[in-house]
Amino acid sequence: MRKKWFNVMAAGVMVVGLLAGCGSDKNEKTDASPSAGGSPSASSAASSPASSGEKVHLRLYTFGPEATYNWSNTLKSYEEANPGVTVEAVVLSDKGDTQEAMKKLDLAFASKENIDVLMFSDPAGYAQRVSLGMAEPLDDYIAKDGGFKVSEEYKVDTTLNGKVYALPGKFNPWYVLLNKDHLDEAGLALPTDWTWDEYADYAKQLTKGEGTSKRYGTYFHGPQGGGWMEFLKLMMMNQPKDSDFLKADGSSNLADPNYKRTLELRVRMEKEDKSSVPYSDIISQKLAYRNQFFNQSASMLTIGSWMNTEIGGTDKLPLTFHVAVAPFPKNDKADQIGYSPVTTDYTAVSSISKNKEAAYKFVRWYTTEGQLVQGKNIPAWSKVSNDQVTPIIDTILAATANPELVDKDSLTKTLLMSKASEMIPAASYQSEVYKAVNEEYEKLILGEQDIEATVKNSQERAQQIIDANKK
């Protein structure tokens, strides 16, 4: 399978030198010291892999641009602690577009470029590329590194089919960004514990105007081409277990009533309340969620907390209003608030790296102490305590254009209350299921079939994919 994939991908590589490294002239000094409670295994992993005197140059292929990942200071800190080792960040999308980045990564891998470290942005993409042999198993390296358990050492368990192929970097729970000025205008209180029905009610009350100048109550950025599937699992992902379209054993979970409830919510808000930006506009106009929120075209944005680095505005998208944060809504009032989808960076060692041990040591450092140095996200590393979160948030907001317009208290409380559902290992065919479910949703939202047919067709197509992959 791997050989066939290489041949197909290599045939599509038409341009040599597709990828370029990312540089920066920012050289601010960053404190690379680990927290007082740092783990011995993390510290040992940061020891120099070039102790023999051999120089090592690692190439990190990432979707994360300099502005949101602070690569210049982060990599400089690692190099200073590891003489003889240099790390080059090859940024695959200057705008942080993960789909663009993954396409370039696949081409680069097929053409056997010198790739040492890989970063994947979602569990489906991670599982798919593991199945294609792109990531090196890390279990033997972890055994030599103290034998820690990923599920205990990190807040996100990256175990896949009984093996570990990547370690998690950031811990980015999803939340809701709100235009506080619009809330005040409508006389609505800032939510601290709410349901999706209440979210829909807020969106309806926040919607204003008609035509091209209409302001929508909310914007949902997906699904799109099998990506951004979180927006079809809104009422599944806030559950402690079974939060995805597939179960842990790879079987279908589309009979879960919360899948149907999500479809009903999306149809109600777009077709009946007319409070969410139409799906047809999102696709045809290639709308960007940042622009929709910062340009005040939508009053609420459900999104991942990677937005922390931009929440106070940027040069490209300045913040001109007060913004607040609310937790991911729950389904029913009796449910516990706080469960939300959590994204991370799946940081892996390339299977074609010529410096695998050195690459692992960097991955281990980057996903532990390196997250504190980077200072752009809440780390998935369990050794980071709640007391350390507030200064991290302060650092993140200070780098934005107008941090004074951000309700830091609501942001901090939301992040601290957030928790991930039980991790479901991604099946190798998960992206196929996502694409099929996406296509059925498009038929629904574009008026070609009803909700019952959408659920039925999604279940049947998913089962066909599962059966085909188990032969």
Side-chain angles (χ1 to χ4, degrees), residues 422-439:
E422 182 178 287
M423 181 71 176
I424 301 175
S428 60
Y429 47 86
Q430 183 165 306
S431 60
E432 296 178 63
V433 172
Y434 279 8
K435 188 172 184 295
V437 173
N438 190 157
E439 290 170 353

Side-chain angles (χ1 to χ4, degrees), residues 267-329:
V267 170
R268 167 191 164 190
M269 294 184 70
E270 178 173 332
K271 303 298 185 181
E272 298 173 21
D273 298 345
K274 301 186 185 303
S275 60
S276 65
V277 178
Y279 182 80
S280 58
D281 289 355
I282 296 170
I283 300 302
S284 64
Q285 299 176 32
K286 298 181 179 179
L287 298 180
Y289 62 84
R290 291 174 174 87
N291 299 69
Q292 290 293 300
F293 184 71
F294 286 104
N295 292 343
Q296 303 193 65
S297 298
S299 300
M300 299 191 297
L301 176 67
T302 301
I303 202 69
S305 55
W306 59 77
M307 286 298 293
N308 291 345
T309 60
E310 305 171 57
I311 194 174
T314 63
D315 291 339
K316 292 182 179 179
L317 289 170
L319 179 64
T320 58
F321 54 91
H322 293 86
V323 62
V325 182
F328 196 78

Side-chain angles (χ1 to χ4, degrees), residues 108-129:
F109 196 89
S111 58
K112 299 185 180 180
E113 294 191 19
N114 293 326
I115 307 173
D116 297 295
V117 178
L118 313 165
M119 285 178 65
F120 310 121
S121 63
D122 66 279
Y126 165 52
Q128 181 182 32
R129 286 165 180 84

Side-chain angles (χ1 to χ4, degrees), residues 300-439:
M300 299 191 297
L301 176 67
T302 301
I303 202 69
S305 55
W306 59 77
M307 286 298 293
N308 291 345
T309 60
E310 305 171 57
I311 194 174
T314 63
D315 291 339
K316 292 182 179 179
L317 289 170
L319 179 64
T320 58
F321 54 91
H322 293 86
V323 62
V325 182
F328 196 78
K330 57 190 185 182
N331 296 346
D332 303 300
K333 286 188 177 296
D335 293 346
Q336 184 178 358
I337 194 71
Y339 283 107
S340 73
V342 172
T343 59
T344 189
D345 297 326
Y346 295 85
T347 315
V349 173
S350 167
S351 63
I352 58 174
S353 171
K354 298 177 182 177
N355 303 292
K356 290 187 176 69
E357 185 170 353
Y360 167 77
K361 289 182 178 179
F362 170 77
V363 168
R364 176 65 169 143
W365 176 87
Y366 173 70
T367 59
T368 53
E369 296 160 17
Q371 290 296 293
L372 300 176
V373 174
Q374 197 168 52
K376 289 291 187 178
N377 294 287
I378 306 302
W381 190 26
S382 298
K383 297 295 188 295
V384 178
S385 66
N386 286 347
D387 292 339
Q388 292 174 288
V389 171
T390 298
I392 291 174
I393 292 174
D394 287 338
T395 300
I396 293 171
L397 290 180
T400 64
N402 293 101
E404 72 280 359
L405 294 177
V406 178
D407 185 336
K408 190 181 79 171
D409 183 60
S410 67
L411 172 62
T412 303
K413 287 180 178 178
T414 297
L415 291 175
L416 288 178
M417 76 164 61
S418 297
K419 45 188 169 287
S421 303
E422 182 178 287
M423 181 71 176
I424 301 175
S428 60
Y429 47 86
Q430 183 165 306
S431 60
E432 296 178 63
V433 172
Y434 279 8
K435 188 172 184 295
V437 173
N438 190 157
E439 290 170 353

Side-chain angles (χ1 to χ4, degrees), residues 61-371:
Y61 278 54
T62 176
F63 52 81
E66 171 67 24
T68 53
Y69 275 78
N70 193 21
W71 290 121
S72 54
N73 284 337
T74 305
L75 301 184
K76 179 183 177 183
S77 177
Y78 186 76
E79 291 169 353
E80 289 176 348
N82 295 270
V85 180
T86 56
V87 186
E88 172 191 359
V90 180
V91 177
L92 301 172
S93 174
D94 291 335
K95 56 186 177 182
D97 185 325
T98 55
Q99 290 185 329
E100 174 192 7
M102 290 303 99
K103 289 178 182 178
K104 289 183 177 180
L105 175 62
D106 291 342
L107 288 171
F109 196 89
S111 58
K112 299 185 180 180
E113 294 191 19
N114 293 326
I115 307 173
D116 297 295
V117 178
L118 313 165
M119 285 178 65
F120 310 121
S121 63
D122 66 279
Y126 165 52
Q128 181 182 32
R129 286 165 180 84
V130 164
S131 71
L132 293 172
M134 293 176 67
E136 185 77 7
L138 301 182
D139 303 83
D140 289 344
Y141 297 100
I142 291 172
K144 294 177 183 177
D145 194 17
F148 61 86
K149 292 184 178 180
V150 174
S151 60
E152 297 175 358
E153 187 74 2
Y154 297 93
K155 297 177 184 177
V156 179
D157 188 352
T158 54
T159 303
L160 182 63
N161 299 325
K163 291 188 176 182
V164 177
Y165 295 89
L167 297 179
K170 62 192 178 188
F171 179 77
N172 277 351
W174 280 47
Y175 52 27
V176 180
L177 296 180
L178 304 102
N179 186 314
K180 185 65 165 57
D181 295 349
H182 291 176
L183 284 183
D184 294 341
E185 176 190 284
L188 296 171
L190 175 62
T192 57
D193 187 339
W194 58 341
T195 65
W196 279 113
D197 282 340
E198 290 170 326
Y199 180 99
D201 183 58
Y202 265 55
K204 190 174 181 179
Q205 294 187 61
L206 289 167
T207 299
K208 185 177 181 180
E210 294 293 339
T212 56
S213 61
K214 180 176 181 177
R215 184 188 81 197
Y216 289 91
T218 194
Y219 175 81
F220 293 124
H221 191 58
Q224 295 190 43
W228 294 101
M229 296 301 289
E230 292 88 354
F231 293 100
L232 283 187
K233 297 183 287 184
L234 295 174
M235 302 183 78
M236 300 175 72
M237 296 184 300
N238 56 14
Q239 300 300 298
K241 297 182 179 181
D242 294 332
S243 58
D244 209 335
F245 298 140
L246 295 175
K247 296 180 180 180
D249 62 1
S251 62
S252 174
N253 192 36
L254 288 168
D256 186 331
N258 288 323
Y259 168 55
K260 182 179 179 181
R261 291 179 70 185
T262 299
L263 296 178
E264 292 170 340
L265 176 74
R266 292 294 305 271
V267 170
R268 167 191 164 190
M269 294 184 70
E270 178 173 332
K271 303 298 185 181
E272 298 173 21
D273 298 345
K274 301 186 185 303
S275 60
S276 65
V277 178
Y279 182 80
S280 58
D281 289 355
I282 296 170
I283 300 302
S284 64
Q285 299 176 32
K286 298 181 179 179
L287 298 180
Y289 62 84
R290 291 174 174 87
N291 299 69
Q292 290 293 300
F293 184 71
F294 286 104
N295 292 343
Q296 303 193 65
S297 298
S299 300
M300 299 191 297
L301 176 67
T302 301
I303 202 69
S305 55
W306 59 77
M307 286 298 293
N308 291 345
T309 60
E310 305 171 57
I311 194 174
T314 63
D315 291 339
K316 292 182 179 179
L317 289 170
L319 179 64
T320 58
F321 54 91
H322 293 86
V323 62
V325 182
F328 196 78
K330 57 190 185 182
N331 296 346
D332 303 300
K333 286 188 177 296
D335 293 346
Q336 184 178 358
I337 194 71
Y339 283 107
S340 73
V342 172
T343 59
T344 189
D345 297 326
Y346 295 85
T347 315
V349 173
S350 167
S351 63
I352 58 174
S353 171
K354 298 177 182 177
N355 303 292
K356 290 187 176 69
E357 185 170 353
Y360 167 77
K361 289 182 178 179
F362 170 77
V363 168
R364 176 65 169 143
W365 176 87
Y366 173 70
T367 59
T368 53
E369 296 160 17
Q371 290 296 293

